[in-house]
């Protein structure tokens, strides 16, 4: 099931990228390009229509402008770093860092929560593989080595995306991954706001042999964003904070470990 879901996710990411680039797509052309049946493409487009991304017409579909949101994150060091959101982010990162062990090789994605792990990994020899360009500007323990994936720089928060970044990740294997996300629903859908980063996150999960850790403060618990990157069955841990909705958390599978950092009263 995991492999099948991954194939579907990757195909839909290609279709969404094509829609974003060209605004309009043809069922027949996509079917040939992706080596699937026209019926499969029509089903994907029907799903996107239900999500409000596209308007279908005979033989294809067109993107509804403004429906694919960009990542709302600001650059590192923005004024919002002093608000409650920054506090929740650091609480989650500190709790997640407890899962990092000496000798680990870990993936971290482009989220600011994942990047905040660098502040809490100390006195451990750890290798970090990341597509987060901001990692160059963050002080870290000298025992921590950082490998950037390379790739095209995505505007806004200096994440590294595109074929080069994907190719790098495909050649790597990590002990653990730490993926900051935009939402996780009670039925287990894990999502992000940024189209270009969906496949990055999916590949990091697929190339992790140990703990697959999702980082999501309480504002993300129960939320659903634009693009699905994984199902909760693909992960081992969710790290959030003590304000997370207990109803949503209790609906998640029992074999997923939930860790919560404490938000001070």
């Amino acid at each position: 099931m995991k492999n099948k879901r991954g194939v579907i996710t990757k195909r839909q990411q290609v279709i969404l990228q094509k829609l974003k680039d060209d605004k309009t797509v043809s069922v027949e052309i996509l079917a040939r390009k992706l080596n699937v049946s026209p019926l499969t493409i029509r089903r994907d487009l029907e799903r996107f229509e239900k999500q409000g991304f596209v308007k279908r017409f005979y033989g294809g579909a067109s993107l509804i402008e403004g429906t694919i949101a960009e990542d709302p994150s600001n650059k590192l060091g923005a004024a919002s770093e002093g608000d409650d959101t920054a506090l929740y982010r650091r609480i989650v990162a500190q709790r997640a860092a407890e899962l990092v062990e000496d000798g680990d090789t870990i993936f971290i994605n482009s989220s600011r929560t994942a990047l905040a792990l660098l502040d809490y990994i100390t006195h451990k020899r750890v290798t970090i593989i990341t597509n987060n360009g901001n990692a160059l500007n963050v002080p870290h323990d000298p025992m921590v080595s950082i490998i950037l994936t390379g790739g095209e720089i995505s505007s806004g928060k200096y994440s590294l995306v595109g074929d080069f970044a994907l190719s790098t990740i495909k050649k790597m294997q990590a002990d653990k991954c730490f993926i900051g996300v935009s939402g996780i629903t009670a039925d287990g859908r894990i999502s992000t706001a940024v189209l270009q980063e969906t496949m990055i996150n999916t590949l990091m999960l697929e190339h992790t042999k140990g703990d697959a850790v999702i980082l999501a403060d309480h504002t993300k618990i129960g939320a659903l964003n634009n693009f699905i990157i994984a199902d909760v069955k693909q992960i081992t841990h969710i790290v959030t904070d003590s304000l997370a909705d207990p109803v949503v958390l209790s609906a998640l599978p029992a074999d997923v470990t939930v860790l919560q950092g404490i938000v001070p009263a």
Side-chain angles (χ1 to χ4, degrees), residues 81-156:
E81 284 295 299
D83 63 14
D84 287 342
T85 300
L87 171 64
Y88 305 145
R89 183 184 307 125
R90 300 191 73 79
I91 287 171
V92 170
Q94 185 173 17
R95 190 77 168 91
E98 297 173 11
L99 297 171
V100 180
E101 299 176 293
D102 188 61
D104 275 346
T105 294
I106 66 174
F107 286 127
I108 69 170
N109 73 339
S110 62
S111 85
R112 286 190 288 172
T113 304
L115 186 65
L117 281 169
L118 286 172
D119 291 333
Y120 302 105
I121 300 174
T122 58
H123 309 298
K124 297 174 184 177
R125 196 168 299 279
V126 174
T127 299
I128 294 174
I129 304 165
T130 183
N131 72 318
N132 197 325
N134 285 307
L136 291 172
N137 302 317
V138 177
H140 57 273
D141 188 287
M143 294 179 69
V144 173
S145 300
I146 297 176
I147 298 172
L148 292 179
T149 61
E152 177 185 352
I153 299 174
S154 177
S155 61

Side-chain angles (χ1 to χ4, degrees), residues 8 58 85 99 125 158 167 186 245:
I8 293 170
Y58 183 78
T85 300
L99 297 171
R125 196 168 299 279
Y158 298 130
S167 177
D245 187 340

Side-chain angles (χ1 to χ4, degrees), residues 13-191:
Q13 289 167 0
V14 170
I15 297 171
L16 283 168
Q17 184 64 62
K18 189 70 173 171
L19 278 162
K20 189 171 183 182
D21 292 342
D22 298 344
K23 311 305 179 188
T24 300
V25 294
S26 160
V27 169
E28 293 295 334
I29 292 174
L30 283 174
R32 289 197 297 270
K33 176 182 175 67
L34 297 171
N35 196 29
V36 296
S37 71
L39 177 60
T40 296
I41 299 298
R42 282 195 288 270
R43 286 174 177 166
D44 288 335
L45 293 175
E46 182 179 5
R47 178 182 180 185
F48 298 152
E49 185 176 49
K50 289 178 179 178
Q51 291 176 313
F53 296 151
V54 306
K55 181 177 181 179
R56 289 193 299 155
F57 54 80
Y58 183 78
S62 58
L63 179 69
I64 298 174
E65 288 296 332
T67 57
I68 298 182
E70 295 298 331
D71 183 14
S73 299
N74 295 319
K75 294 180 181 180
L76 190 68
S80 61
E81 284 295 299
D83 63 14
D84 287 342
T85 300
L87 171 64
Y88 305 145
R89 183 184 307 125
R90 300 191 73 79
I91 287 171
V92 170
Q94 185 173 17
R95 190 77 168 91
E98 297 173 11
L99 297 171
V100 180
E101 299 176 293
D102 188 61
D104 275 346
T105 294
I106 66 174
F107 286 127
I108 69 170
N109 73 339
S110 62
S111 85
R112 286 190 288 172
T113 304
L115 186 65
L117 281 169
L118 286 172
D119 291 333
Y120 302 105
I121 300 174
T122 58
H123 309 298
K124 297 174 184 177
R125 196 168 299 279
V126 174
T127 299
I128 294 174
I129 304 165
T130 183
N131 72 318
N132 197 325
N134 285 307
L136 291 172
N137 302 317
V138 177
H140 57 273
D141 188 287
M143 294 179 69
V144 173
S145 300
I146 297 176
I147 298 172
L148 292 179
T149 61
E152 177 185 352
I153 299 174
S154 177
S155 61
K157 63 177 184 179
Y158 298 130
S159 60
L160 303 172
V161 297
D163 290 342
F164 194 96
L166 293 172
S167 177
T168 300
I169 295 169
K170 287 177 183 177
K171 297 173 184 175
M172 302 285 189
Q173 195 79 14
D175 300 299
K176 297 166 184 170
C177 68
F178 295 84
I179 308 294
V181 301
S182 301
I184 179 167
T185 61
D187 62 0
R189 289 173 292 168
I190 302 169
S191 59

